[in-house]
């Protein structure tokens, strides 16, 4: 069913935050000697707001809270109490970040800055996708896709903008994306399995199915390459949607899982994480899948033994290259066109893989020519010029950084 509605503003006393009040008070007390109520902050000064407009802002989560950093100096602009574990996703408007909480997708304004009371309600907030002027949210608990106009988020006031929704036949850990022509691509599954994806187009108040594939077991993640070629990861390869139809790429291994696609919308080549041992312990990987959406080729490339990474450690950047933050502490630069490592930038100390995927471990996110790197073992965040490999700023925090999102630059 296709419908329009106004999303409700979150009540400031919503139980998701209240339930963890004891935790957030403890963390706040350790950090600065006094507690700040969740979602509140001191009013920013004019220079801080101007800096946010000029250089962008960085959001960093930590146990019990979120810090907003200046994008140039990495100074802490403001801190907010939140839940023990939250995920951060840029909203795509150059200003806001969606924070996934027990209540849903909570909006963080990094320029004001303010952890607002505006929440897109969800029983299990999951993926956030930014593309073609839309910011698309997926609720794993209900299978509901919520579609927001990104430009509406940029000018948001006291209430969330009108949204459009689609609810899948069954709830599952899924993802959706809206294309330039209005088609909705969304995953298919239930609580026990995921099988593929469908393409839907709006028609007279409902959604019509125009294409479908059930050839993607364990479908997870998405990415959009040049020419609006959309890739989903499968447990045995990848699934492409391009020019109105689906195409399956089969991995060389019986189990060849890709769960995340690292893309540039100016490159036809998708870089995917790759795992070929379903019983392997830990989360470190040593190979990538390279999918050329123009040539319709799928290749697995084994990286040098020193290059190991997790899902948080690959990003695309200058030159459409892939920047891999490895356990040896360096950013290894992969040219997807040649499958070769073409450069290496030492940044942080060597690190070990996490015991659980939620555990704090180094992460990389890129905006323009700048990479932002977390180093949890040192409570530090770094910025790196990817054209030179030089560290341009470092800031030691009084918390352990976990997830990171950058807000400058609309999508």
């Amino acid at each position: 069913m296709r419908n329009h509605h106004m999303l409700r503003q979150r009540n400031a006393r919503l139980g998701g935050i209240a339930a963890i009040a004891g935790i957030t008070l403890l963390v706040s007390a350790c950090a600065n000697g006094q507690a700040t109520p969740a979602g509140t902050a001191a009013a920013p000064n004019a220079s801080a707001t101007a800096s946010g407009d000029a250089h962008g802002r960085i959001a960093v989560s930590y146990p019990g809270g979120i810090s907003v950093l200046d994008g140039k100096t990495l100074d802490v602009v403001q801190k907010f109490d939140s839940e023990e574990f939250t995920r951060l996703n840029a909203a795509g408007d150059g200003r806001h970040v969606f924070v996934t909480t027990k209540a849903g997708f909570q909006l963080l304004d990094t320029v004001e800055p303010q952890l607002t009371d505006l929440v897109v309600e969800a029983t299990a907030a999951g993926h956030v996708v930014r593309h073609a002027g839309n910011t698309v949210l997926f609720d794993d608990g209900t299978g509901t896709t919520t579609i927001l106009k990104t430009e509406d988020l940029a000018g948001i006031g006291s209430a969330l903008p009108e949204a459009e929704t689609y609810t899948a036949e069954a709830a599952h850990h899924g993802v959706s994306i809206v294309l330039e022509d209005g088609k909705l691509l969304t995953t298919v599954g239930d609580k026990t399995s995921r099988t593929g994806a469908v393409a839907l187009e709006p028609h007279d108040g409902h959604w019509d199915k125009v294409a479908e594939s059930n050839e993607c077991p364990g479908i997870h993640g998405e990415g959009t390459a040049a020419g609006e070629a959309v890739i989903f990861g499968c447990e045995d390869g990848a699934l492409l949607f391009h020019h109105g139809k689906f195409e399956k790429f089969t991995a060389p291994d019986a189990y060849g899982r890709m769960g995340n696609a690292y893309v540039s919308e100016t490159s036809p080549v998708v870089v995917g994480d790759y795992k070929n041992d379903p019983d392997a312990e830990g989360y470190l990987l040593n190979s990538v899948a390279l999918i050329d959406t123009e040539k319709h080729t799928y290749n697995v490339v084994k990286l040098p033994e020193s290059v190991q990474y997790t899902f948080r450690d690959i990003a695309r950047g200058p030159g459409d290259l892939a920047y891999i933050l490895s356990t040896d502490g360096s950013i290894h630069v992969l040219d997807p066109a040649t499958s070769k490592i073409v450069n290496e930038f030492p940044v942080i100390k060597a690190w070990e893989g996490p015991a659980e995927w939620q555990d704090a471990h180094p992460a990389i996110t890129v905006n323009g020519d700048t990479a932002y790197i977390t180093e949890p073992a040192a409570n530090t965040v770094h910025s790196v010029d990817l054209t030179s490999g030089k560290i341009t700023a470092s800031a030691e925090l009084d918390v352990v950084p976990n997830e990171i999102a950058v807000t400058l630059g609309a999508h």
Side-chain angles (χ1 to χ4, degrees):
M1 181 177 180
R2 186 171 180 249
N3 61 76
H4 296 270
H5 65 284
M6 289 296 293
L7 298 172
R8 294 191 298 276
Q9 181 171 345
R10 180 197 183 200
N11 187 299
R13 293 180 176 273
L14 200 61
I17 297 295
I20 57 152
I23 297 173
T24 56
L25 287 172
L26 176 60
V27 172
S28 183
C30 292
N32 55 29
Q34 64 181 26
T36 302
T40 65
N45 59 45
S47 62
T49 302
S51 178
D53 290 332
H55 303 298
R57 290 277 166 81
I58 311 302
V60 177
S61 68
Y62 56 87
I66 302 164
S67 288
V68 176
L69 314 182
D70 180 87
K72 184 177 182 180
T73 65
L74 303 184
D75 292 339
V76 176
V77 178
Q78 194 58 265
K79 296 175 68 174
F80 302 96
D81 290 343
S82 187
E83 297 180 358
E84 182 68 9
F85 176 74
T86 58
R87 306 208 70 188
L88 304 177
N89 292 277
D93 64 347
R95 180 182 185 115
H96 294 96
V97 168
F98 275 112
V99 182
T100 59
T101 70
K102 294 174 183 176
F105 301 89
Q106 184 176 10
L107 203 61
L108 168 67
D109 184 339
T110 66
V111 175
E112 185 58 26
Q114 181 185 13
L115 184 57
T116 75
D117 288 334
L118 301 177
V119 174
V120 178
E121 295 177 358
T123 60
H127 284 277
V128 176
V129 175
R130 306 159 298 273
H131 177 70
N134 294 292
T135 302
V136 182
L137 319 176
F138 196 96
D139 178 5
D140 294 347
T142 63
T144 300
T145 295
T146 299
I147 304 166
L148 296 161
K149 293 296 183 185
T150 308
E151 64 181 5
D152 291 344
L153 290 171
I156 204 165
S158 59
L160 286 162
E162 187 173 283
E164 191 173 13
T165 64
Y166 167 79
T167 301
E169 292 183 1
H172 63 281
H173 178 49
V175 66
S176 298
I177 179 173
V178 174
L179 304 184
E180 292 177 0
D181 63 3
K183 284 189 181 69
L184 171 66
L185 302 184
T186 188
T187 52
V188 174
D190 56 32
K191 292 182 179 179
T192 61
S193 66
R194 303 186 298 276
T195 56
V198 294
L200 308 165
E201 61 183 12
H203 180 72
D204 291 340
H206 63 275
W207 296 95
D208 288 337
K209 186 185 299 184
V210 294
E212 183 176 13
S213 173
N214 61 0
E215 295 184 288
C216 192
I219 189 169
H220 186 274
E222 59 70 45
T224 305
E228 210 172 32
V230 181
I231 282 283
F232 298 91
C234 314
E235 290 181 351
D236 58 357
L239 185 66
L240 170 70
F241 184 84
H242 201 200
H243 301 310
K245 63 181 181 179
F246 287 102
E247 178 182 352
K248 174 64 181 289
F249 294 99
T250 302
D253 299 291
Y255 180 87
R257 182 182 187 272
M258 175 181 141
N260 298 277
Y262 308 95
V263 298
S264 164
E265 293 196 359
T266 56
S267 169
V269 183
V270 174
V271 178
D273 55 5
Y274 188 79
K275 179 180 181 179
N276 64 359
D277 183 357
D279 300 319
E281 295 183 0
Y283 295 90
L284 293 178
L285 302 173
N286 183 237
S287 296
V288 294
L290 298 181
I291 305 162
D292 192 319
T293 60
E294 282 186 350
K295 297 178 181 178
H296 298 265
T297 58
Y298 177 103
N299 295 295
V300 173
V301 175
K302 186 171 177 59
L303 301 170
E305 290 299 324
S306 61
V307 183
Q308 299 185 73
Y309 68 94
T310 77
F311 67 97
R312 289 182 180 167
D313 300 314
I314 302 183
R316 299 295 285 272
D320 288 334
L321 301 174
Y323 296 81
I324 305 173
L325 180 61
S326 171
T327 54
D328 64 0
S330 291
I331 297 173
H332 295 263
V333 185
L334 173 72
D335 184 350
T338 64
S339 309
K340 304 296 184 184
I341 299 291
V342 296
N343 217 333
E344 177 182 348
F345 307 139
V347 179
I348 62 178
K349 291 184 178 180
W351 52 279
E352 296 182 355
E356 302 293 340
W357 69 265
Q358 300 97 329
D359 293 345
H361 61 280
I364 180 172
T365 188
V366 172
N367 187 57
D369 292 342
T370 302
Y372 297 95
I373 306 290
T374 63
E375 187 175 9
N379 290 359
T380 300
V381 176
H382 308 275
S383 60
V384 179
D385 182 343
L386 293 177
T387 63
S388 66
K390 294 182 179 179
I391 296 175
T392 54
S394 295
E396 185 175 354
L397 311 178
D398 58 0
V399 295
V400 179
N402 195 341
E403 295 220 343
I404 184 169
V406 59
T407 61
L408 183 64
H411 290 72

